[in-house]
Amino acid sequence: MSDIAGRLGITKAALYKHYAGKQDILNSIIHKMEQMDLEHARAFEMPEETSEKDADAYQNITMDRICAYTKAMFSYWTEEVFSSDFRKMLTLEQYRDPSMNRLFHQYLAAGPAEYMKEVFRPMVDSEDKAVQLALELYGSVFLLYSLYDQAEDKEAVMKLLDQHLEQFTERNSK
């Protein structure tokens, strides 16, 4: 709490006036991330619920919309300060705390892969093919996060993302 207060330029006592503790701060961050994720899904007309809850939302999603959404989410996780810092925090803390590991997988690993599998499922004739498409698309995106963070030329990484999305679309469009 002292580190957080120091970074904010306030006293620890002032921070405790707003938050009961670290978990309360984390809960506020998670709530903001959920709101931001929902806004992005709505902006790209992507499903907000699971396919079990809203199967109709998964019908007729185009590859162009999937790629546009993927590119926007990449920028969201790398260029928007709040979500980028959240991603980096989860990446570091996943090895120290089981709850942070669960959040890392929910936001950056299994969660996005599962979501993309559900997006692809109506486009293919088997669960296995949907899983493979999700891995093919998202696996490269996941790797590009690390490349982006270390790159001096961030635009070069964005170009790699564009090339990946173009080639993915060419291979998988009918």
Side-chain angles (χ1 to χ4, degrees):
M1 292 297 280
S2 297
D3 290 343
I4 293 168
R7 290 191 80 192
L8 294 171
I10 61 174
T11 66
K12 190 172 163 181
L15 185 60
Y16 275 114
K17 287 182 182 180
H18 299 283
Y19 299 99
K22 290 187 279 186
Q23 187 62 48
D24 194 26
I25 293 171
L26 180 60
N27 291 343
S28 294
I29 292 169
I30 291 168
H31 178 72
K32 182 171 179 166
M33 289 301 301
E34 288 170 354
Q35 289 176 324
M36 292 168 64
D37 287 350
L38 187 59
E39 289 171 13
H40 279 84
R42 286 179 179 159
F44 287 87
E45 298 176 358
M46 294 296 286
E48 299 169 24
E49 297 286 342
T50 64
S51 61
E52 292 172 355
K53 291 183 181 179
D54 189 6
D56 291 342
Y58 287 84
Q59 300 301 319
N60 303 317
I61 297 175
T62 66
M63 196 63 76
D64 287 340
R65 191 170 0 142
I66 292 168
C67 289
Y69 177 69
T70 300
K71 186 172 181 177
M73 291 306 290
F74 185 84
S75 294
Y76 165 74
W77 284 111
T78 58
E79 297 174 353
E80 291 186 28
V81 174
F82 188 85
S83 49
S84 177
D85 286 349
F86 182 67
R87 176 180 58 84
K88 291 172 186 174
M89 177 193 70
L90 290 179
T91 300
L92 292 172
E93 295 298 323
Q94 69 174 314
Y95 301 107
R96 297 181 200 172
D97 182 310
S99 65
M100 296 303 253
N101 184 273
R102 284 188 295 278
L103 287 172
F104 174 84
H105 284 275
Q106 174 187 339
Y107 280 94
L108 296 165
E114 179 67 24
Y115 179 76
M116 293 314 298
K117 179 193 79 170
E118 289 191 39
V119 167
F120 289 124
R121 184 63 188 100
M123 298 177 180
V124 296
D125 59 5
S126 76
E127 186 83 3
D128 288 344
K129 287 182 183 176
V131 168
Q132 289 306 309
L133 284 173
L135 291 175
E136 182 182 346
L137 177 67
Y138 187 68
S140 296
V141 171
F142 186 79
L143 171 63
L144 288 171
Y145 290 145
S146 292
L147 295 177
Y148 184 92
D149 289 340
Q150 299 303 313
E152 289 183 29
D153 184 0
K154 307 284 190 201
E155 287 302 314
V157 178
M158 295 303 284
K159 185 176 179 181
L160 288 173
L161 176 64
D162 287 339
Q163 290 170 341
H164 169 61
L165 294 173
E166 286 172 22
Q167 291 174 10
F168 179 83
T169 300
E170 286 174 16
R171 283 190 307 275
N172 297 293
S173 292
K174 294 179 182 179

